[in-house]
Amino acid sequence: MRPEHQGVSHKLIETGHAVPIDDPKWSKMREELGLDPLPPTVHSYPKAVKEIQHIIKQTGFDKLVNYKESKKDGKT
Amino acid sequence: MVKHRYSFFLGCVIPNRLPQIEAATRLIAPKLDIELVEMKGASCCPAPGVIKSFDKDTWLSITARNLAIAEENGLDILVLCNGCYGTLIAGVHDLKDPVTLKRINKILKGTGHQFQGRITAKHLVEVLYNDIGKEAIEETVVNPIDARFAIHIGCHLLKPSDIRPWGVVEDFTLVDELVETLGGTIVDYKLKDMCCGAGGGLRSAELEVSLDMVREKLEAMKQAKIDAMVNVCNFCHLQFDLGQMQANKHFGTDYQIPVLYYTQLLGLAQGFTPKQMGLDKHYISVAPFLEKIGMSV
């Protein structure tokens, strides 16, 4: 498991997106294009992120990608 | 009454890195009598190259949740990304097996979603070519685009072909035809069917290899003397646009090939401005192409 791919997995667990809005410039760009600053995805529905995390817990994916341990080590 | 309604799947890269493609698609849709219904709370598809490779049940469960959201809308999915399409259509296929469906729906318990297998996922190309049709698209063209284009189809749109709607996938011409419908001339180039180099987790983990692949394609496009390249996948788009800039820096090249997602080109043909299509947001300047067709950013 490459650390880059592990990082992508951690972003999915934390946000529901493998490529999330992680800088205000992306929301600004959306607004410049006439879009809402956040898309109508998990980004606009905190409950939806919980649903993804529920799935992750059920399958044990968090353990597979060493989620908690990596966070503790500051690798995320 | 709107004739064509779809659950609109955004994925990650389009809303969070390339919103110009989202904006362009939302603008062109009504002209084709398409209503894009939001998939509220949808997530990453999730990415086939990474998540599916790590754990299939995690991948399939998150896919099933996305499919269930579309099913709750009562509408098939319209998807713009080849990778997301690959995941969603594979999910539809895998979940036809009752044992698998039962196992995955058990994992989904507690999320409030269950997938019943009543909807499918369609790529933009399938929607435009099969559901809307070239004639209806042509009727919306007010500004034919007279320019030379290289087409990049991408991998997941066509393969694995046994769970795609196309039949024969060799010499696939649907995207070429959709561009010709707007007035464009298609230019053949070496390596047309080659991967852009972004997918499968390659771009995130092996950037140099990934950029070398896109450099090969860019060189072939340059030799073909095109005005712009057109794609139907946002991740390929990112690779050709941002990746082109990165490849120039890494390899000391100076490719300046304008990159357009199909709905951006369609929007120009429908009379929208380059700014409305977000062409001022690209890494590689689109100005030379726009000048060729009598427009400016």
Side-chain angles (χ1 to χ4, degrees), chain B residues 21-279:
Chain B
I21 294 176
E22 179 184 340
T25 306
R26 290 186 187 279
L27 286 172
I28 62 98
K31 287 185 177 285
L32 299 170
D33 220 3
I34 294 174
E35 182 184 352
L36 301 171
V37 177
E38 306 298 355
M39 287 179 59
K40 294 177 181 174
S43 68
C44 177
C45 57
V50 175
I51 309 302
K52 188 178 182 180
S53 304
F54 286 178
D55 184 60
K56 196 170 177 186
D57 268 9
T58 301
W59 165 81
L60 191 53
S61 300
I62 296 175
T63 304
R65 178 183 171 278
N66 284 324
L67 293 170
I69 290 171
E71 195 170 67
E72 288 154 19
N73 285 344
L75 298 168
D76 287 342
I77 290 173
L78 186 159
V79 54
L80 306 176
C81 168
N82 284 3
C84 297
Y85 174 63
T87 275
L88 295 170
I89 201 75
V92 168
H93 174 266
D94 290 0
L95 293 167
K96 281 179 182 165
D97 171 50
V99 176
T100 304
L101 182 64
K102 190 175 176 186
R103 186 178 76 250
I104 297 301
N105 273 337
K106 192 175 174 190
I107 294 169
L108 288 187
K109 271 189 183 171
T111 68
H113 303 285
Q114 293 282 282
F115 183 55
Q116 306 298 327
R118 294 187 184 130
I119 57 107
T120 190
K122 294 183 175 184
H123 189 281
L124 172 81
V125 172
E126 184 180 2
V127 167
L128 292 180
Y129 197 93
N130 291 348
D131 296 0
I132 308 299
K134 288 192 292 180
E135 198 173 296
I137 294 170
E138 198 167 6
E139 283 172 9
T140 70
V141 173
V142 297
N143 176 33
I145 309 293
D146 182 13
R148 290 164 55 85
F149 296 102
I151 305 300
H152 173 78
I153 300 163
C155 302
H156 296 287
L157 180 64
L158 305 182
K159 293 173 182 175
S161 58
D162 60 338
I163 56 168
R164 296 293 185 273
W166 316 117
V168 177
V169 295
E170 278 72 34
D171 297 322
F172 186 80
T173 61
L174 272 55
V175 183
D176 302 44
E177 292 174 49
L178 288 172
V179 171
E180 286 172 337
T181 299
L182 309 181
T185 299
I186 305 304
V187 182
D188 270 338
Y189 66 101
K190 202 167 72 172
L191 309 174
K192 182 176 180 179
D193 295 335
M194 179 180 160
C195 173
C196 68
L202 192 63
R203 185 178 157 82
S204 57
E206 294 286 353
L207 186 60
E208 186 173 350
V209 176
S210 168
L211 294 178
D212 197 27
M213 288 176 72
V214 80
R215 182 198 57 74
E216 272 196 73
K217 291 213 64 157
L218 290 164
E219 179 59 30
M221 288 177 185
K222 184 182 175 184
Q223 296 298 326
K225 300 190 186 332
I226 56 164
D227 297 309
M229 70 81 65
V230 178
N231 64 79
V232 288
C233 170
N234 50 272
F235 204 33
C236 301
H237 181 103
L238 186 82
Q239 174 77 337
F240 278 101
D241 193 26
L242 173 60
Q244 185 173 171
M245 190 179 76
Q246 292 171 316
N248 282 341
K249 190 175 175 187
H250 188 81
F251 299 111
T253 50
D254 187 27
Y255 298 114
Q256 295 295 328
I257 297 174
V259 179
L260 287 95
Y261 188 85
Y262 182 78
T263 53
Q264 293 180 299
L265 186 69
L266 174 56
L268 293 179
Q270 287 180 338
F272 291 105
T273 66
K275 195 171 174 65
Q276 285 175 300
M277 295 296 100
L279 296 181

Side-chain angles (χ1 to χ4, degrees), chain A residues 3-18:
Chain A
E4 295 87 351
H5 297 153
Q6 201 174 14
V8 168
S9 303
H10 292 183
K11 283 180 183 173
L12 175 69
I13 295 170
E14 286 166 5
T15 70
H17 277 302

Side-chain angles (χ1 to χ4, degrees), chain A residues 5 19 30 32 51 54, chain B residues 16 22 58 65 109 201 281:
Chain A
H5 297 153
V19 183
R30 289 183 57 82
E32 287 168 359
E51 291 173 17
H54 173 82
Chain B
N16 302 337
E22 179 184 340
T58 301
R65 178 183 171 278
K109 271 189 183 171
K281 307 294 185 195

Side-chain angles (χ1 to χ4, degrees), chain A:
Chain A
M1 193 178 292
R2 299 287 294 267
E4 295 87 351
H5 297 153
Q6 201 174 14
V8 168
S9 303
H10 292 183
K11 283 180 183 173
L12 175 69
I13 295 170
E14 286 166 5
T15 70
H17 277 302
V19 183
I21 289 182
D22 50 9
D23 187 304
K25 70 180 180 184
W26 302 119
S27 285
K28 184 170 177 282
M29 188 171 166
R30 289 183 57 82
E31 289 183 295
E32 287 168 359
L33 288 156
L35 300 168
D36 291 336
L38 292 177
T41 62
V42 281
H43 273 336
S44 294
Y45 297 91
K47 182 178 166 288
V49 181
K50 298 285 181 202
E51 291 173 17
I52 298 299
Q53 290 167 348
H54 173 82
I55 292 170
I56 298 285
K57 285 281 179 197
Q58 294 290 307
T59 61
F61 188 71
D62 52 341
K63 292 185 181 72
L64 180 70
V65 298
N66 210 14
Y67 179 62
K68 282 182 181 172
E69 192 175 327
S70 293
K71 274 184 80 77
K72 198 165 57 184
D73 293 344
K75 289 178 186 170
T76 57

